[in-house]
Structure formats: structure tokens, C-alpha cells
Amino acid sequence: MSRTLTKSEKNRGGEIYDVVIVGGGPAGLTAGLYASRARLNTLLLEGISVGGQMMTTDIVENYPGFPQGISGADLTAIMEEHAKRFGLMTEMGEVIGLELTSGEKLVKTVDREYRAEAIIICTGTEYRKLGIPGEAKFTGRGVSYCATCDGAFFKDNKIVVVGGGDSALTEALFLTKFAKEITIIHRRDALRATKIYQERAFSNPKINFLWNSVVEEIKGNQTVESILVKNVTSGEVSEVPTEGVFMFVGIEPKTAFLRGVVELDESGYILVDENNLQTSVDGIFAAGDARKKMLRQVATAVGDGATAAFAVEKYLEERENT
Ligand code: NAP
């Protein structure tokens, strides 16, 4: 039985994708799986490698189905294989902007443009910089934002971790595999992190805490040698010797390229319709950590990816019928 070709099927020769997914973390890979399985002509663009922050997570232990936990790298590989099984195409390309013409959308990377009927933004977040003297100078020379990437360089060293949230504690716990002593420096006297991580950190003999303290400067010659730490209660500043500084002072959405295109909140998170995850622009959807939401986890990113891909399918069907 033959049927009439959809507009996007007719256009396929001209390389117009039904949907371009920007970002390949758990949200993007799930959106890719659902969209490909729905037989949409789907391309996923990823800047460096798929997996996003999941890729650099030592153990994901709260994603259902893996009671013993699974490494972020293994979970990434499984999700990628799963999506590709249904035909998802992926390409490397750092997206620098979107251009909207009548109906059609252009996704621009540094070296080329992709035409799309719909777009799903899944760019996630990145770790915030503290913005103190020495931080930029010593990044890669003792200052790091990724324990799984750099932890092994600090074998038997004395290091510090800055922050009091889930990232600071999970990464500090991971770093105990390498470092001989870890000081968590937190600006308050109570942690923000989930209780189970607090219990593990408090009972780990390699971890100690410096409360009510902020790092004001990172010092050294070729590599980090010490930090200046201010006690916010007494105002006293002291120099603490350390060979490594791991920064986990929060996250920021990777949405700079969307300014002026879709509506963002004051922190740069993408505002969406909670029902179908459509942004303020018709045909542009957002899924995962980059959108405004309460809980940022692999499990919630996966749910977003499925919803956004289904919403794209409905959006394209409605366009075909009008
Ligand atoms: P976060 O929850 O925003 O915590 C940031 C921490 O850095 C807070 O303790 C904050 O202090 C501190 N901080 C912020 N700005 C600072 C500054 N200028 N100077 C000193 N300290 C500063 O960020 P996160 O830990 O990266 O977590 C981000 C999201 O990912 C969260 O939703 C988290 O639950 C999730 N996550 C989950 C897991 C997991 O479930 N396994 C693991 C990692 C991350 P205050 O507490 O005083 O604000």
C-alpha cells in the first residue's frame, strides 16, 4: 500500500532533518532513541563526546535498573548503542547559534549549517567558575572541575574540594581513591548535599572539613602550591598548602547561544511549557538539565528526552496536516 510522502520525506534529498538534537547527554540520547524509533529523520550534534556530565560521573547509583550502580561512561555507551540501534545519526559540532526563517530552522556550528523542521535543545550544564585570582592560570595545572578526568594525577597528594553540594561530596568521595587527604571547604557550617553522601563523607577517614570558609586566591609557580582561605565568621585569612583544587560550586546552563532566540530565566535556564517541553518558539523544544526544572538527574533527563521527542512527532504531524 502506498502513501503520500510527508513534506520532510520529500525534502530529505535536500538534507532537511525532521529534528536536530543539540547535545548528547542522557536527555539528547533518549530524545534520539525515541525520534529515530518514530522514524523521524534525526541528527544529534555533540560538541566533544556524547554522555555530557553523565560521562564524567564515576558511579550513577540512582538510575533505576542498575541496583549495584553503573559507571557514567558505561551508561553512556549503553544509551548511545541503544539509540543508534534505531538509526540515530550523530555528528560532532559545537552549536554556536540558531536561525529561524519562515518555518525552517537553521542550526549553526562553527563550520556548517543544518536545516531542521524541529530542534530539541539538550545542552545541559557546566560547572561554575569561582572567578578568583589564580583560578584560570592554574586550570589544568592543579585546578580541576572533573574528578574522574583528573583524579589520578593527584595520587597520594593533599588536595581540597570547594563546595557543599552533591557534586562536591560525590567527587570528593571518588577522589579518596587517589589522594591521601582531602579537605572540603564550604562557605557555611551545613552541607547542601543529599544525606547519604554526607554520611559517607563524614565517615571517610581521608576527608576533613573546613567550615564557614571561602577560597580567595590560588597560588603557586608552575602548579598549585597553596590557597588563601578566609574564615567568613572571623574574617581571618590563612594560607593552606595544597597540590590540587577541585571546584564544585554549582552549575550553569550551556545556553549562551540561545540568548535572544528563546526565552530564558534570569540564570539562563530555558523556559518551557511543562506539558510538551516546547520553548517560547514553535518547533524548538528543550530537555534535560538546561531547562528550568526542580530536579536535575539522569532519570529526569531521560524522561524529558522521551517527552520532547514525542512532542516533536506531534508537532510535525500537525504541520503536515495544516
Ligand atoms: P549545587 O547543588 O548548586 O551546590 C553548589 C555548592 O557550592 C553549594 O554548597 C554552595 O553553597 C556552594 N557555592 C556556590 N557558590 C559558591 C561560592 N561563590 N563560593 C563558595 N561556595 C559556593 O551544585 P552541584 O553540587 O554541582 O549540584 C548540581 C545539581 O546536580 C544538583 O541538582 C545536584 O543534586 C545534582 N547532582 C546530583 C548528584 C547525584 O545525585 N549523584 C551528583 C552531583 C550533582 P551553599 O550550600 O551555601 O549554597
Side-chain angles (χ1 to χ4, degrees), residues 269-319:
Y269 289 101
I270 305 163
L271 296 171
V272 293
D273 177 333
E274 289 287 333
N275 186 47
N276 64 2
L277 303 187
Q278 185 162 257
T279 67
S280 55
V281 175
D282 261 13
I284 303 184
F285 299 78
D289 286 4
R291 79 168 179 99
K292 187 177 169 71
K293 65 195 298 195
M294 189 170 77
L295 183 63
R296 296 190 168 84
Q297 302 265 305
V298 178
T300 61
V302 161
D304 273 10
T307 302
F310 184 73
V312 164
E313 208 185 330
K314 296 291 136 209
Y315 167 80
L316 294 176
E317 272 172 24
E318 274 166 30
R319 279 183 30 144

Side-chain angles (χ1 to χ4, degrees), residues 36-252:
S36 305
R37 193 164 176 272
R39 296 291 178 251
L40 299 181
N41 185 25
T42 308
L43 176 72
L44 185 150
L45 291 171
E46 173 55 61
I48 303 167
S49 75
V50 290
Q53 287 202 334
M54 173 171 71
M55 184 68 183
T56 57
T57 301
D58 174 36
I59 291 285
V60 179
E61 61 175 23
N62 52 1
Y63 187 65
F66 300 93
Q68 306 308 321
I70 178 167
S71 82
D74 286 349
L75 189 53
T76 300
I78 292 170
M79 285 189 185
E80 185 181 10
E81 183 192 343
H82 195 167
K84 285 189 167 169
R85 194 187 138 215
F86 292 108
L88 176 67
M89 294 173 284
T90 61
E91 272 185 35
M92 288 301 157
E94 180 84 35
V95 173
I96 52 169
L98 304 182
E99 199 177 295
L100 313 177
T101 55
S102 55
E104 191 175 296
K105 296 162 177 62
L106 286 182
V107 181
K108 296 179 165 190
T109 63
V110 178
D111 19 68
R112 62 168 290 191
E113 293 177 353
Y114 299 86
R115 297 162 70 200
E117 301 273 1
I119 297 170
I120 305 177
I121 310 289
C122 307
T123 42
T125 58
E126 61 193 348
Y127 287 115
R128 186 184 291 147
K129 311 277 183 292
L130 207 45
I132 53 172
E135 184 178 11
K137 179 179 171 191
F138 290 110
T139 294
R141 292 193 281 145
V143 173
S144 172
Y145 303 84
C146 177
T148 45
C149 317
D150 300 329
F153 297 121
F154 296 88
K155 194 158 169 32
D156 297 326
N157 288 174
K158 273 179 76 169
I159 60 173
V160 302
V161 167
V162 188
D166 283 342
S167 297
L169 266 66
T170 52
E171 303 295 310
L173 285 160
F174 171 73
L175 287 165
T176 59
K177 288 185 186 179
F178 310 102
K180 75 171 175 221
E181 189 185 325
I182 297 166
T183 303
I184 296 179
I185 302 177
H186 184 38
R187 63 181 175 183
R188 294 186 291 133
D189 64 357
L191 296 168
R192 176 181 293 277
T194 311
K195 287 284 182 286
I196 192 165
Y197 298 137
Q198 297 196 24
E199 287 163 16
R200 289 176 192 170
F202 289 141
S203 64
N204 192 304
K206 283 190 173 179
I207 296 179
N208 56 70
F209 288 84
L210 206 50
W211 301 107
N212 299 311
S213 299
V214 292
V215 181
E216 290 201 320
E217 186 175 344
I218 298 166
K219 298 172 73 169
N221 287 304
Q222 291 308 307
T223 57
V224 171
E225 290 170 12
S226 66
I227 51 175
L228 294 185
V229 179
K230 181 179 174 181
N231 182 302
V232 292
T233 317
S234 66
E236 192 186 318
V237 177
S238 51
E239 186 159 358
V240 177
T242 187
E243 290 156 291
V245 181
F246 283 82
M247 296 281 189
F248 298 106
V249 292
I251 52 174
E252 284 172 353

